[in-house]
Amino acid sequence: MPNTHQQHERQPHSEAVINHHLDDATLMAYAAGTLDESLSVVAASHMAFCHECAREARFADALGGMIFERQEETPLHDNALTNFLTRLDSPMPDVGYRSGRSLPNHARTSSLPRALARYLDKPLEDTTWKRIAPGLAIHELPVSPAARGRLHLFRIAAGKAMPEHGHGGNELTLVLSGSYSDCFGRFALGDVADLDPDANHQPIVDAGAPCTCLIATEAPARFTNLMARIFQPVSGL
Ligand SMILES: [Zn+2]
């Protein structure tokens, strides 16, 4: 794969103070290329904000390369350590690049993570939103047909509470603007919520500003509230 700056994540956004990270299993799966496309877009987008997760993913990728060599039962090359360190220092190509998506022109001057921008046909501020409830609008992003999960942008009004829900699969949520709080803490710019299938939560957007999030789900949300369950076929979540 060509090693050009264009294909990689831009340098992490230095202004973001990250309090919530990807878990180890997600980082390992991302580095191994086995994480579902939808989840990979959110993971890679978080890494545009987070030096720590980006470094851990590169470490897992470099380590995986060495283990692969051992499994091949070929003797480790003399400069295996050099190769390992080189790989450790090389930004990984993002998931959109790997799946052949070009970077749209609007993304070249955008502060959005490139992994996300590849899936947007227009700038975020020009996105067309589908209103699915008072204070809640979504925009579905077009992942490949082979992807198991779905990928949405959510725009939630200030002070708005989402219905309490669980998930049939993993869910990754990345905050792009504003902030919200739930039983796992407060999530602001660049923070990611990496939730297991058995996690239930009720995000409430902090007062003062709406919250825009990028959310990947492996399976539909399971709302605990009857009205939300009735509403689900309409909302498409
Ligand atoms: Zn992180």
Side-chain angles (χ1 to χ4, degrees):
M1 193 167 285
N3 185 18
T4 65
H5 178 74
Q6 193 62 51
Q7 78 202 42
H8 300 308
E9 277 304 301
R10 63 182 67 236
Q11 287 298 302
H13 297 230
S14 56
E15 72 273 19
V17 177
I18 306 300
N19 292 307
H20 299 277
H21 299 273
L22 299 164
D23 70 28
D24 289 345
T26 304
L27 281 167
M28 295 289 283
Y30 178 82
T34 57
L35 192 66
D36 187 56
E37 181 183 352
S38 300
L39 298 168
S40 293
V41 175
V42 182
S45 298
H46 169 70
M47 289 178 214
F49 294 95
C50 181
H51 288 283
E52 192 175 324
C53 285
R55 187 176 60 239
E56 288 188 22
R58 289 198 303 274
F59 180 79
D61 178 54
L63 197 60
M66 286 185 80
I67 291 170
F68 182 75
E69 285 183 34
R70 297 294 293 267
Q71 285 175 338
E72 291 286 290
E73 295 184 358
T74 55
L76 281 178
H77 201 272
D78 287 346
N79 57 1
L81 181 59
T82 306
N83 289 345
F84 174 83
L85 294 174
T86 301
R87 205 159 170 172
L88 200 58
D89 283 338
S90 304
M92 295 173 66
D94 72 53
V95 56
Y97 178 82
R98 281 187 259 161
S99 56
R101 290 175 180 272
S102 59
L103 196 65
N105 282 335
H106 70 78
R108 299 182 193 282
T109 54
S110 166
S111 61
L112 281 179
R114 288 204 166 106
L116 165 60
R118 290 186 200 280
Y119 290 81
L120 286 171
D121 59 3
K122 55 179 77 167
L124 187 58
E125 57 271 24
D126 296 333
T127 298
T128 48
W129 296 93
K130 176 184 173 187
R131 184 175 177 275
I132 61 170
L136 173 60
I138 63 170
H139 175 84
E140 183 161 15
L141 298 173
V143 290
S144 308
R148 293 188 304 277
R150 297 175 70 185
L151 187 62
H152 289 93
L153 289 165
F154 273 57
R155 192 181 62 190
I156 312 158
K160 171 81 177 172
M162 294 280 286
E164 184 177 4
H165 62 280
H167 309 276
N170 291 318
E171 178 186 277
L172 285 181
T173 299
L174 173 72
V175 176
L176 296 170
S177 70
S179 57
Y180 74 84
S181 300
D182 64 11
C183 56
F184 301 108
R186 179 172 181 270
F187 294 77
L189 177 69
D191 280 326
V192 69
D194 191 343
L195 298 183
D196 294 329
D198 56 357
N200 270 27
H201 68 145
Q202 182 178 31
I204 301 174
V205 172
D206 294 336
C211 183
T212 304
C213 296
L214 176 65
I215 303 181
T217 47
E218 271 194 316
R222 290 196 295 235
F223 293 105
T224 52
N225 172 288
L226 178 61
M227 282 308 291
R229 289 213 308 268
I230 293 170
F231 185 65
Q232 191 168 25
V234 183
S235 68
L237 296 177

